Amino acid sequence: YSSSSNAATDSDAPGAYGSGGIAAAAAKSADALGKGDIKRVVAAADGSVWVGYKRGVLEKYSEAGQLLWSSATSAPAAGASVFRPADITAVAAAGSSVWVGDAHGQLWVLDASSAALQRSWKAHVFPVRSIAAGGHLVYSLGKDGSICAWPALPPPAALTAAWQQDVVSCMKEQQLTVLVGTWN
């Protein structure tokens, strides 16, 4: 233990939670761009840290606190789906994906390495309160207390295409002739 004023403190270490760490970088970023309060902070498997802000902004930071990606400043690739959640209410890491829940009950799944939107859907009628990963499933909790389980990985494209074809054939308009009889 050193009481010298030249000794480094824990908060001065690169990547530490303090004046030079991720928390400080995220807080400064939130103040500068009016993103609202930090709602969730999640560590991903690749060592990055994801920060979700109340006003719908999601950011990815390196272990050293360097901003790697922000939904507020990044434009989607041509033809890619757009990540634009309402107020972020929940964030969780599941394998190589980051799951985000919003105030409109929507779930968004992004690739943790590229931040590309993989899929999104209306998961709850009420806001998403929490998201938790467990094995091959991801669970979401709605504000009304409903819990839903979702596959952590999307189904293979061939299976999705086959399902879509089956749905289309089931939804065709059909004309039926019905004979109704009664005795009384």
Side-chain angles (χ1 to χ4, degrees), residues 3 20 24 35 55 72 76 79 83 113-114 127 129 153:
S3 61
K35 299 172 194 166
R55 294 200 179 116
F83 174 73
S113 60
S114 68
R129 292 293 248 188
L153 298 175

Side-chain angles (χ1 to χ4, degrees), residues 132-139:
H136 65 284
L137 294 174
V138 175
Y139 301 90

Side-chain angles (χ1 to χ4, degrees), residues 100-115:
V100 178
D102 73 14
H104 293 297
Q106 189 88 3
L107 282 178
W108 307 78
V109 182
L110 290 89
D111 180 83
S113 60
S114 68

Side-chain angles (χ1 to χ4, degrees), residues 2-3 22 60 64 74 77 85 107 137 139 143-144 161 163 170 184:
S2 172
S3 61
I22 294 167
K60 178 181 180 181
S74 299
L107 282 178
L137 294 174
Y139 301 90
K143 186 175 181 180
D144 62 345
W163 177 81
C170 291
N184 272 343

Side-chain angles (χ1 to χ4, degrees), residues 27-40:
K28 287 177 188 174
S29 175
D31 289 342
L33 297 177
K35 299 172 194 166
D37 295 335
I38 295 173
K39 295 299 283 184
R40 299 288 187 263

Side-chain angles (χ1 to χ4, degrees), residues 14-116:
Y17 293 99
S19 61
I22 294 167
K28 287 177 188 174
S29 175
D31 289 342
L33 297 177
K35 299 172 194 166
D37 295 335
I38 295 173
K39 295 299 283 184
R40 299 288 187 263
V41 177
V42 174
D46 65 357
S48 63
V49 176
W50 291 80
V51 180
Y53 297 89
K54 179 172 176 35
R55 294 200 179 116
V57 175
L58 184 68
E59 293 181 334
K60 178 181 180 181
Y61 288 88
S62 69
E63 293 173 330
Q66 177 185 6
L67 178 63
L68 301 174
W69 179 85
S70 174
S71 65
T73 58
S74 299
S81 299
V82 179
F83 174 73
R84 294 283 183 253
D87 293 350
I88 290 178
T89 56
V91 179
S96 62
S97 299
V98 173
W99 289 58
V100 178
D102 73 14
H104 293 297
Q106 189 88 3
L107 282 178
W108 307 78
V109 182
L110 290 89
D111 180 83
S113 60
S114 68

